Amino acid sequence: MAETALGTRERLVRTASRLMQHQGYENAPIKQIVRDAEATLGSLYHFFPGGKQELAVAAIRFGDQEFAELLRSGLDSREDAAEAVGAVAAQLAAALHTSQWADGCPVTATALETLDRLPDIQAACADAFHNWQNLVAEKLLAAGIAEPDARDLAVTVINTLEGAEMTSQVTRSQSPLLTAGRHLTRLVRSYY
Amino acid sequence: MAETALGTRERLVRTASRLMQHQGYENAPIKQIVRDAEATLGSLYHFFPGGKQELAVAAIRFGDQEFAELLRSGLDSREDAAEAVGAVAAQLAAALHTSQWADGCPVTATALETLDRLPDIQAACADAFHNWQNLVAEKLLAAGIAEPDARDLAVTVINTLEGAEMTSQVTRSQSPLLTAGRHLTRLVRSYY
């Protein structure tokens, strides 16, 4: 029983995350989430008494962790921090291509749509960006970059990857992300 | 008569642009566009027989030009190309703060929402990014940066500003944009 329950909750969260990644929060109708997750409205309100907003917060946290794993795998793939940042960009470009340019950032569309309106969702989006920045900062600190520089650089690394991912999606090309990777490698290397 | 007609068309385009900037394409209902523009549904279909999609293309083009003016003013404010790129970031940060974090990129939300679905709108979004890249590239070329490097750098400058603007909106802070400006200045300067 408990396992079935867990299965339904997870399906709801994963489905909401994917739909919000592709369509944003407003365009992910609760009926479609329930249908695609092979769940029922009753089960959705059982697990998420706060309804779509509460589910959306869980979905953003799921996307946060999913993207964090991608980041970790890229960062761990090279010992050199500057090269590692470039490797992250290349992995994102390859993954985007594989998904036919559909699987971009799991947070951006929702973050922009809910600005100044849905504080719980906004807070989850801000947490996600912060977590990703921390992962990059750890790698830069380990490379010997001083604390304030490493933290600042990590913010720009994530922002540049975010912007480049969006342009790669719109232009259906890996080039913006690969170019971002080369520039971020050069920028990071200039600090050690 | 002609001037009144022009006035209504312009009001529709400006209103659609602002609503799409804040809410994205799907969440900018045609009724709200018409009401906020003090127009009528009849006049909307008179000027845009293709309806909301055709209006959205005109709105993206308007946002493209509006952002291009901001970019030009920042780029022209400093003779040195590396400093000019930093000045653009600082101007965007100030404008975002003035608008209470509401007036971000006029294109991003719509670009993400219409991926793979509405090719005319996608093409207008891609044109906008391309135009902005060209403005930056001209400044870098004038500074003596070689052609391929200047073009590549311009892509990353726009992408980094895009990503940083979004994070500034979500965190309600100028800091991500100002940090991006410092890093872009450093990166550009390393090329001449």
Side-chain angles (χ1 to χ4, degrees):
Chain A
M1 276 293 281
E3 261 186 68
T4 317
L6 189 70
T8 304
R9 188 186 187 283
E10 257 200 50
R11 285 204 308 281
L12 284 165
V13 171
R14 281 169 189 263
T15 304
S17 173
R18 197 66 66 222
L19 287 173
M20 285 159 59
Q21 180 182 37
H22 294 169
Q23 304 166 204
Y25 172 76
E26 297 294 347
N27 304 323
I30 204 160
K31 279 184 186 169
Q32 188 184 359
I33 297 172
V34 166
R35 192 184 59 223
D36 289 4
E38 298 180 22
T40 61
L41 260 185
S43 64
L44 189 152
Y45 283 100
H46 168 69
F47 291 112
F48 304 98
K52 191 182 170 187
Q53 282 189 37
E54 192 180 340
L55 172 58
V57 169
I60 291 292
R61 295 221 172 100
F62 175 80
D64 171 359
Q65 285 163 21
E66 204 179 36
F67 192 77
E69 276 166 39
L70 245 167
L71 258 183
R72 254 187 230 105
S73 124
L75 291 171
D76 290 349
S77 73
R78 298 282 192 288
E79 184 155 351
D80 178 70
E83 281 176 23
V85 167
V88 168
Q91 286 196 7
L92 288 176
L96 203 53
H97 188 212
T98 302
S99 77
Q100 297 273 5
W101 319 107
D103 293 350
C105 176
V107 170
T108 306
T110 297
L112 286 174
E113 267 184 1
T114 58
L115 275 174
D116 215 19
R117 284 196 308 119
L118 300 170
D120 290 354
I121 297 178
Q122 281 287 300
C125 294
D127 282 351
F129 292 126
H130 196 68
N131 290 337
W132 304 338
Q133 291 162 6
N134 278 344
L135 286 177
V136 175
E138 279 167 28
K139 184 80 180 183
L140 303 182
L141 288 165
I145 300 179
E147 179 81 33
D149 285 342
R151 299 262 162 224
D152 279 358
L153 268 174
V155 172
T156 292
V157 166
I158 295 299
N159 287 337
T160 302
L161 293 175
E162 288 284 338
E165 182 151 54
M166 197 252 300
T167 308
S168 278
Q169 289 187 275
V170 172
T171 57
R172 301 174 76 82
S173 157
Q174 297 188 52
S175 167
L177 265 170
L178 296 177
T179 301
R182 282 198 305 279
H183 288 139
L184 288 174
T185 296
R186 184 180 177 114
L187 178 67
V188 169
R189 188 163 285 146
S190 79
Y191 280 85
Y192 64 91
Chain B
M1 278 290 283
E3 258 186 71
T4 316
L6 188 71
T8 304
R9 189 188 185 281
E10 256 199 50
R11 283 205 308 281
L12 284 165
V13 171
R14 281 169 189 264
T15 304
S17 173
R18 196 66 65 222
L19 286 174
M20 285 160 57
Q21 179 182 39
H22 294 170
Q23 304 167 202
Y25 172 76
E26 297 293 347
N27 303 324
I30 206 161
K31 279 184 184 169
Q32 189 185 358
I33 297 172
V34 165
R35 190 184 62 223
D36 289 4
E38 299 180 21
T40 61
L41 261 185
S43 63
L44 189 151
Y45 283 100
H46 168 70
F47 291 112
F48 303 97
K52 190 182 169 187
Q53 281 189 39
E54 192 180 339
L55 172 58
V57 169
I60 291 293
R61 295 221 172 100
F62 176 80
D64 171 359
Q65 285 163 21
E66 204 179 35
F67 192 76
E69 276 167 38
L70 245 167
L71 258 182
R72 253 187 231 106
S73 124
L75 291 171
D76 290 348
S77 73
R78 299 281 192 289
E79 182 155 356
D80 179 69
E83 281 175 24
V85 166
V88 169
Q91 286 196 7
L92 288 176
L96 203 53
H97 188 212
T98 303
S99 77
Q100 297 272 5
W101 320 107
D103 293 350
C105 175
V107 170
T108 305
T110 298
L112 286 174
E113 267 184 2
T114 58
L115 275 173
D116 215 19
R117 284 197 306 118
L118 300 170
D120 290 355
I121 297 178
Q122 281 287 300
C125 294
D127 282 351
F129 292 125
H130 197 68
N131 290 337
W132 304 338
Q133 290 163 7
N134 278 344
L135 286 176
V136 175
E138 280 166 26
K139 184 80 180 182
L140 303 182
L141 289 165
I145 299 179
E147 179 83 32
D149 284 342
R151 299 265 161 219
D152 279 359
L153 268 174
V155 172
T156 293
V157 166
I158 295 297
N159 287 337
T160 302
L161 293 174
E162 288 284 338
E165 182 152 54
M166 198 253 300
T167 308
S168 278
Q169 288 187 276
V170 171
T171 57
R172 302 174 75 82
S173 157
Q174 298 189 52
S175 166
L177 266 169
L178 297 176
T179 302
R182 283 198 305 277
H183 288 139
L184 289 174
T185 296
R186 184 180 177 113
L187 178 67
V188 169
R189 188 164 287 147
S190 79
Y191 280 84
Y192 63 91

